[in-house]
Amino acid sequence: MSRTPLLAANWKMHKTVGEALEFLDALLPALPAEGPEVVLCPAYTALAPVVARCVETPVRVAAQNMHQAESGAFTGEVSAAMLLDLGVEDVILGHSERRALFAESDEALAEKLPTALEAGLEPILCVGEDEAQRDADQTAEVLTRQIEADLAAVEPEHLDRIVIAYEPIWAIGTGRTATPEQAQEAVALIRERVATRDAGAAERVRILYGGSVKPANAAELLAQPDVDGALVGGASLEAADFAAIVAAAAR
Ligand code: 13P
């Protein structure tokens, strides 16, 4: 089964509109004509201008979060319809920073995933263990729990429309990348968990690795048989670095 690699740039709370457009001026000419899918995830404030700049390019645009309700009294939140309205096609859900700093729960994610899918957005669901859980040998248990809880309300036939990102928390922004073997082992385990719901979807679902991915380590991570791409934070802020990571997946 060949899955098209996907490289996503999670800019987190970085880049004004001007900085985002400057990045695109450098990135777009540097992308390979054919090959991996590229998704940029700017802050809400830069979504519309980034979508406008990416029209007629192969680059897709994702939000970094979304509320599960259609509308309502949720100050500061944004709905799936609002994202679609801007031409956004993807949405990161359950990033560990949302889980740890903003109380994102598995219960909310179990609602967000079907809501995003019904709206026609491609969700990028993040899962991953923290350092204490890895040290205590609980990685498989944590990943299983997150996958089961977050995907509970997704119909089996829609599972392959989700992208899953394995992001070990101890590797995020620390410069401490998972070894290719650790990434492969965890991503294969996630695929196995999806297979318990639908074996065909598990073959098709794309599972990314995220956590200190850089031009220097991208190729060996992306060469792992179950690793279908990367969700890149820090190294996605520089167009040249992100383009080099995309190129590593195109090889
Ligand atoms: P870093 O690449 O900066 O470690 O961040 C990873 C991440 O959180 C992407 O979502």
Side-chain angles (χ1 to χ4, degrees):
M1 160 69 55
S2 81
R3 296 176 291 264
T4 308
L6 190 156
L7 285 302
N10 178 9
W11 289 347
K12 309 189 180 184
M13 198 172 73
H14 294 282
K15 293 195 191 295
T16 60
V17 171
E19 289 162 351
L21 296 178
E22 212 175 292
F23 174 98
L24 283 165
D25 286 343
L27 179 76
L28 293 175
L31 289 179
E34 301 260 312
E37 289 176 26
V38 174
V39 179
L40 301 180
C41 318
Y44 289 130
T45 48
L47 284 172
V50 170
V51 168
R53 184 69 177 81
C54 291
V55 169
E56 291 180 21
T57 76
V59 175
R60 295 205 306 275
V61 182
Q64 298 174 13
N65 185 28
M66 173 203 96
H67 197 274
Q68 61 273 34
E70 244 174 68
S71 62
F74 301 108
T75 301
E77 291 290 327
V78 162
S79 71
M82 290 168 185
L83 297 177
L84 285 174
D85 195 31
L86 298 183
V88 167
E89 294 178 86
D90 295 57
V91 60
I92 297 177
L93 293 175
H95 191 280
S96 60
E97 287 150 17
R98 301 286 333 158
R99 293 178 191 255
L101 305 173
F102 302 98
E104 179 80 282
S105 65
D106 287 319
E107 291 71 27
L109 288 165
E111 293 181 32
K112 288 185 181 197
L113 280 144
T115 301
L117 289 168
E118 277 159 34
L121 291 165
E122 176 177 74
I124 302 174
L125 171 69
C126 302
V127 295
E129 81 288 0
D130 66 22
E131 187 163 26
Q133 291 164 333
R134 175 156 285 263
D135 289 348
D137 246 342
Q138 293 168 349
T139 300
E141 188 186 320
V142 170
L143 295 177
T144 300
R145 194 167 62 227
Q146 289 178 329
I147 290 292
E148 286 179 358
D150 300 347
L151 300 182
V154 175
E155 300 293 337
E157 65 267 30
H158 294 153
L159 285 168
D160 60 358
R161 292 176 49 210
I162 297 173
V163 174
I164 301 173
Y166 167 60
E167 296 210 308
I169 295 168
W170 48 271
I172 294 179
T174 58
R176 231 184 104 197
T177 321
T179 64
E181 295 72 28
Q182 286 171 324
Q184 166 60 27
E185 192 185 3
V187 166
L189 183 133
I190 292 168
R191 200 177 298 289
E192 247 177 61
R193 299 327 301 163
V194 176
T196 63
R197 299 278 312 282
D198 187 298
E203 280 295 305
R204 293 186 296 273
V205 71
R206 287 178 298 176
I207 309 180
L208 317 181
Y209 167 78
S212 298
V213 176
K214 307 212 163 355
N217 60 27
E220 55 176 3
L221 288 160
L222 295 168
Q224 299 306 306
D226 281 286
V227 176
D228 302 318
L231 180 54
V232 187
S236 77
L237 296 172
E238 292 296 330
D241 286 348
F242 187 59
I245 293 169
V246 174
R251 278 208 299 266

